[in-house]
Amino acid sequence: MIKRLYNKTMALAAHPQAIYFLALISFIEASFFPIPPDVMLIPMVLMKPSRAWFFALIATVFSVLGGVFGYIIGAFSYEQFAQPILYTLGKEAEMANFSQKYNQVGLWAVITAGISPIPFKVITIMSGATNLNFVVFVVASLVSRGIRFFIVAGLLNFYGHEIKIFIERYLNWVFLLFVILLIFGFIGLKLI
């Protein structure tokens, strides 16, 4: 099923109205769709390198808007479904403790998921469910998704087809390594 969705998404990238599909996929991927916008962004930038930055901007803005939708899903579904169950099970204190701990690291959770292979939709929904500060969530989403999509567009714009194979195979892992190094850097600064 995932392979079929991937192939369909690739075909949409060649469509004359591809920009609208990029916006749609960027939006829904941030809240529930399994295929990342990179699948459309990569071929679109390769076909029209002069519009690379515009495509990255569209992917960023609509991914953040989709993240806001995921945040709302998390807030609504928690209050409507999970909270009553946790209350019945006597686990509301544990959830409150989890929410407090999540909100302490929520900024980094959003940034990490925004640029790494960690599914962004999980963090958007979790951020709403734990009531992460909305402004922190939106700013972290803008920064992280912007980093991800503008780096992809920039690499493709400057290196063209040669970098496509590298991006499709390794870029998620490079982003993950970057996040790990960033986290260790901040930990190191706190220890000094």
Side-chain angles (χ1 to χ4, degrees):
M1 179 176 130
I2 297 294
K3 184 68 172 167
R4 198 171 83 218
L5 281 172
Y6 176 87
N7 291 336
K8 184 148 181 95
T9 305
M10 288 292 284
L12 290 174
H15 193 277
Q17 302 297 320
I19 192 73
Y20 299 111
F21 294 120
L22 175 63
L24 177 66
I25 288 173
S26 297
F27 182 90
I28 62 177
E29 181 272 337
S31 47
F32 58 87
F33 192 63
I35 305 295
D38 308 68
V39 172
M40 291 223 26
L41 181 62
I42 291 169
M44 288 174 69
V45 171
L46 289 173
M47 286 186 268
K48 295 181 182 174
S50 64
R51 300 197 68 199
W53 307 122
F54 177 68
F55 294 150
L57 179 65
I58 294 297
T60 300
V61 168
F62 282 89
S63 182
V64 172
L65 291 173
V68 168
F69 183 64
Y71 185 100
I72 292 167
I73 289 171
F76 174 77
S77 65
Y78 176 74
E79 289 178 10
Q80 296 298 316
F81 303 109
Q83 192 173 30
I85 292 169
L86 291 170
Y87 181 78
T88 302
L89 296 172
K91 301 292 183 185
E92 64 273 5
E94 285 87 346
M95 183 58 187
N97 186 39
F98 173 78
S99 293
Q100 179 185 8
K101 287 180 181 177
Y102 178 82
N103 285 321
Q104 290 172 354
V105 299
L107 168 71
W108 295 110
V110 174
I111 288 174
T112 301
I115 62 174
S116 74
I118 297 168
F120 190 55
K121 64 196 81 21
V122 171
I123 296 300
T124 65
I125 293 169
M126 184 61 66
S127 295
T130 61
N131 200 24
L132 178 66
N133 180 292
F134 186 72
V135 173
V136 168
F137 171 77
V138 171
V139 170
S141 295
L142 272 170
V143 168
S144 62
R145 296 313 260 182
I147 288 170
R148 177 182 180 109
F149 299 130
F150 278 90
I151 285 178
V152 169
L155 288 171
L156 288 165
N157 191 34
F158 295 120
Y159 296 105
H161 289 279
E162 297 84 33
I163 198 78
K164 179 180 183 249
I165 293 168
F166 174 82
I167 289 173
E168 288 180 341
R169 285 189 187 162
Y170 304 112
L171 195 62
N172 280 337
W173 298 110
V174 171
F175 279 142
L176 186 59
L177 178 62
F178 171 75
V179 168
I180 290 168
L181 291 173
L182 190 66
I183 290 169
F184 279 118
F186 280 110
I187 290 170
L189 287 175
K190 283 189 174 186
L191 295 176
I192 296 177

